[in-house]
């Protein structure tokens, strides 16, 4: 997005133009707040609160800074308030090693709040590497001020001086926070994102193979060291053999599912999965599948099972007819 540059203008809170100008920033503020909070729903709440505070406080703003930077200052403080005293959001692989694909290892942890996916915005280019689930999860390990400094400088490409002004601190403090944050991300050993265009033909073959539950076809599409997780369960699987042991063992109920494409999630292909209804009539929602691809193979499956909240967010129907 580049450095914050915008000429100030005189606008009254009663003017329709003020509302319009505030709304212009909603999409980018949502991306910022999502990276800070790890939830699209909390991000939406944070942005709404940001715009309300800006509306109420605009007469005191008086154009002393660019409107955009002022909104980011408000949004940062809103996120800090929301993060105060709260446990960080996580992915199953953040909590422990992979385990065997047996039903006894399938547990929920009510004290854990999970990272949630976000639909890619339709009106702006998404920086895919900085919205990946793994990257957003790694951000949650950082203290809030380090997190904000890293997002502002590394993702949004603000200058350290601009970030320091927003965070009411010194350039030296921002640089120190960046150094610590970068060191943590290096320890997280995030794999480089695949920068090649999404292979639509591969995805079509995956949908066909999954709906047929064709193990031979799936084997050719899934990398041997692939992983799978299924929030809100803490179990995650490492390796294609364990994934298949689950799919054709405890997860055999997914056989016969319908899989339909939807909006990309976190810069990655996403699908709504519907299992055959127990009544034999149609298909019931089961999971939002988010796939990670690399070098022409699927390397990660995340099956988000909270369909009640996620399917409406991604515009997926509540059920499918037979």
């Amino acid at each position: 997005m580049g450095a914050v540059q915008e000429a100030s203008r005189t606008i009254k809170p009663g003017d329709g133009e003020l509302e319009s100008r505030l709304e212009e920033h909603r999409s980018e503020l949502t991306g910022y707040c999502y990276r800070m909070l790890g939830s699209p729903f909390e991000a939406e709440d944070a942005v709404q609160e940001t715009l309300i505070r800006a509306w109420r406080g605009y007469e005191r703003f008086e154009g002393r800074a660019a409107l955009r930077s002022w909104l980011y200052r408000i949004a940062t403080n809103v996120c800090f308030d929301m993060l105060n005293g709260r446990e960080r959001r996580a992915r199953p692989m953040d909590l422990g090693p992979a385990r065997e694909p047996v039903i006894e290892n399938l547990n929920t942890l009510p004290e854990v709040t999970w990272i949630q996916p976000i639909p890619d915005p339709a009106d702006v280019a998404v920086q895919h590497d900085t919205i990946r689930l793994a990257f957003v999860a790694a951000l949650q390990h950082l203290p809030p001020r380090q997190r904000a400094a890293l997002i502002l400088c590394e993702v949004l490409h603000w200058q350290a001086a601009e970030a320091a002004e927003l965070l009411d601190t010194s350039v030296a403090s921002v640089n120190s926070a960046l150094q610590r944050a970068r060191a943590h991300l290096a320890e997280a050993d995030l794999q480089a994102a695949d920068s090649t265009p999404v292979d639509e033909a591969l995805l079509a073959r995956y949908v066909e193979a999954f709906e047929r539950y064709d193990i031979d076809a799936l084997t050719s599409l899934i990398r041997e060291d692939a992983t799978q997780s299924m929030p809100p369960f803490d179990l995650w699987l490492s390796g294609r053999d364990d994934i298949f042991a689950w799919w054709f063992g405890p997860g055999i109920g997914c056989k016969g599912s319908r899989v339909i494409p939807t909006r990309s999630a976190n810069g990655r292909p996403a699908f709504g999965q519907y299992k055959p209804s127990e009544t034999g009539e149609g298909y019931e929602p089961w999971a939002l599948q988010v796939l990670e691809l690399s070098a022409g193979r699927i390397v990660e499956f995340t099956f988000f099972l909270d369909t009640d909240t996620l399917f409406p967010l991604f515009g997926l129907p509540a059920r499918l007819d037979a």
Side-chain angles (χ1 to χ4, degrees), residues 266-284:
N266 297 77
R268 300 300 181 265
F271 301 87
Q273 179 189 343
Y274 295 79
K275 289 173 61 175
S277 173
E278 293 182 358
T279 66
E281 299 180 359
Y283 299 82
E284 303 294 338

Side-chain angles (χ1 to χ4, degrees), residues 167-319:
L167 296 170
D168 289 323
T169 189
S170 66
V171 172
S173 294
V174 167
N175 287 330
S176 177
L178 287 173
Q179 185 176 13
R180 294 194 299 274
R182 289 167 183 152
H184 172 76
L185 292 184
E187 291 176 1
D189 192 27
L190 298 175
Q191 299 298 313
D194 190 343
S195 59
T196 59
V198 172
D199 187 339
E200 299 293 344
L202 181 151
L203 296 177
R205 293 197 302 273
Y206 164 71
V207 169
E208 181 182 2
F210 190 91
E211 290 187 340
R212 290 190 288 111
Y213 237 53
D214 184 335
I215 191 169
D216 291 330
L218 289 166
T219 298
S220 70
L221 298 172
I222 301 172
R223 207 165 72 180
E224 189 174 358
D225 62 348
T227 61
Q228 173 183 312
S229 59
M230 301 170 288
F233 296 109
D234 63 340
L235 173 68
W236 69 280
L237 307 173
S238 179
R240 185 176 60 204
D241 289 346
D242 277 2
I243 291 173
F244 285 163
W246 182 269
W247 288 7
F248 290 87
I252 194 63
C254 288
K255 187 176 182 179
S257 290
R258 292 275 307 280
V259 179
I260 63 174
T262 185
R263 296 175 60 184
S264 298
N266 297 77
R268 300 300 181 265
F271 301 87
Q273 179 189 343
Y274 295 79
K275 289 173 61 175
S277 173
E278 293 182 358
T279 66
E281 299 180 359
Y283 299 82
E284 303 294 338
W286 176 249
L288 178 76
Q289 299 186 8
V290 180
L291 310 186
E292 184 86 31
L293 309 180
S294 179
R297 295 290 185 273
I298 301 168
V299 297
E300 183 177 319
F301 296 90
T302 307
F303 293 87
F304 292 97
L305 305 183
D306 185 10
T307 58
D308 286 346
T309 57
L310 293 177
F311 272 32
L313 182 66
F314 281 82
L316 289 162
R319 69 184 310 276

Side-chain angles (χ1 to χ4, degrees), residues 11-22 55:
I11 305 175
K12 298 294 185 182
D15 293 344
E17 187 179 358
L18 174 58
E19 181 178 359
S20 176
R21 291 191 68 207
L22 293 177
W55 179 270

